[in-house]
Amino acid sequence: MLDFLNKKIYFVGGKGGVGKSTTSAALALLLSKQGKKVLLVSTDPAHNMGDLFHINMYGEITSVRTGLDVLEINSEKETFRYINGVKDNIKGLVKSTMLDEVHRQIDLAAASPGAEEAALFDRITSLILETIHQYDSIVFDTAPTGHTIRLLTLPELMGVWMDGLLDRRKKINKNYAEWMNDGEPVEDPIYEKLIERKDRFMKVRDYLLNYDQTEYLFVLNAERLPILETIKAIETLYKHKIHVHTLVVNKVIPEKADGQFMEKRRENEKGYLNEIQDVFANKRVLMLPLLDRDISSFEDLETFTINLESCLLAGREQDR
Ligand SMILES: Nc1ncnc2c1ncn2[C@@H]1O[C@H](COP(=O)(O)OP(=O)(O)O)[C@@H](O)[C@H]1O
Ligand SMILES: [Mg+2]
């Protein structure tokens, strides 16, 4: 089978509106049609998987057809769950007289801009480390570009940050042990928890940087800004050792679109398509046609999926 369809994890990135959610759904559907058990995870706040699969989503993993489950992550709910988890972890670690103040601080932190992201990342981490064993593949429909990059590079950043923190705590602990006891090491539960978390981040990182298991797709349209943004995003990811191998150029004007207006649009688009082939010469470039209406039903999604599959097959012929 095509190497591309044999991955464990897929991340689908790109600017809002280019067709990430549609591509993710189509890819998940295609994999499930190949007999795999697939989980499609949407982290986009504007969910529409329910519409695409004609099913109500309640923020939990929902089976939408044979071999295909969908999870729409609700970031507000996730932050709440995450914060409660943090509070639980702290229980027993701080003096009970301090608990109110500590909770107040945690609630303040929960309202900060990074909290939602941390919560989301925590959920993705547990999907990758635990839930993955129930599936052949997980497809992540990630939110717009900047956010996605931060999310994917977080383990690395956290790693560096935590190394520093762990060092400092070790030192403090050493002094503490020397002062308070007879130099005997004391147990440090916070230190243990930090190590545990760091281990988890490192494990996810191993998954994310293993190209036999993980594939990154970028969706774009044949227009100036999406091309520029894609170049920038791919470069940033590359700096963090994440390599994007596949591009989906979506909404390409089909041959059969006629009329003078379309002729002009196609002419304009041709320049950009050539540019894409040029700039991304070493990548797999899949071109998907603009359909005559938006993809809002399962039937439309099936048409889109057939196009995706034939693009992949054509690519394989070229590789030979
Ligand atoms: N090939 C296509 N032809 C026609 N409409 C499309 C195509 N791909 C996506 N769309 C429509 O474009 C809009 C944006 O797609 P979506 O997948 O939600 O983008 P994103 O997740 O990147 O924001 C949706 O209304 C979708 O139905
Ligand atoms: Mg989307």
Side-chain angles (χ1 to χ4, degrees), residues 150-309:
R150 282 206 299 281
L151 213 65
L152 293 178
T153 55
L154 197 59
E156 200 171 40
L157 299 179
M158 284 298 258
V160 174
W161 174 78
M162 288 210 311
D163 277 341
L165 202 70
L166 288 178
D167 269 355
R168 240 174 300 149
R169 284 198 68 82
K170 252 195 268 176
K171 261 186 218 131
I172 293 170
N173 211 4
K174 195 166 155 275
N175 291 342
Y176 186 74
E178 279 164 4
W179 296 337
M180 306 305 285
N181 295 338
D182 328 314
E184 284 290 304
V186 287
E187 271 185 33
D188 180 348
I190 292 181
Y191 181 75
E192 303 288 318
K193 283 264 186 281
L194 281 175
I195 289 206
E196 223 176 86
R197 277 185 80 70
K198 194 184 157 203
D199 276 354
R200 283 176 71 77
F201 285 142
M202 289 300 146
K203 271 194 206 136
V204 177
R205 225 180 88 96
D206 286 347
Y207 260 110
L208 298 188
L209 297 182
N210 180 341
Y211 297 104
D212 292 334
Q213 306 207 63
T214 306
E215 177 86 32
Y216 297 88
L217 287 80
F218 251 83
V219 185
L220 71 157
N221 301 145
E223 288 165 11
R224 198 174 70 87
L225 280 180
I227 294 176
L228 290 178
E229 285 201 23
T230 305
I231 294 174
K232 219 172 105 198
I234 289 179
E235 272 173 10
T236 310
L237 283 172
Y238 191 80
K239 276 189 204 139
H240 293 274
K241 303 193 184 69
I242 289 171
H243 304 177
V244 179
H245 290 135
T246 306
L247 293 180
V248 175
V249 185
N250 187 26
K251 306 190 189 182
V252 176
I253 300 168
E255 278 308 320
K256 61 172 187 263
D258 50 14
Q260 229 182 353
F261 177 80
M262 274 304 170
E263 204 42 63
K264 252 188 143 159
R265 287 282 315 187
R266 208 181 351 253
E267 208 40 52
N268 169 68
E269 187 188 70
K270 209 160 144 198
Y272 291 124
L273 289 177
N274 288 337
E275 187 183 339
I276 289 171
Q277 295 284 17
D278 246 29
V279 178
F280 304 110
N282 57 348
K283 305 203 186 300
R284 177 190 290 118
V285 178
L286 307 171
M287 305 226 183
L288 296 183
L290 175 71
L291 302 180
D292 58 10
R293 54 179 174 191
D294 64 338
I295 292 104
S296 53
S297 71
F298 187 70
E299 293 66 39
D300 297 331
L301 180 65
E302 286 211 290
T303 310
F304 189 97
T305 307
I306 290 168
N307 289 337
L308 175 66
E309 186 178 16

Side-chain angles (χ1 to χ4, degrees), residues 39 41 71 123-132 138 140:
L39 176 64
V41 180
L71 170 66
R123 185 67 192 273
I124 291 178
T125 298
S126 80
L127 287 170
I128 290 177
L129 296 185
E130 280 100 32
T131 314
I132 198 146
I138 302 189
F140 288 100

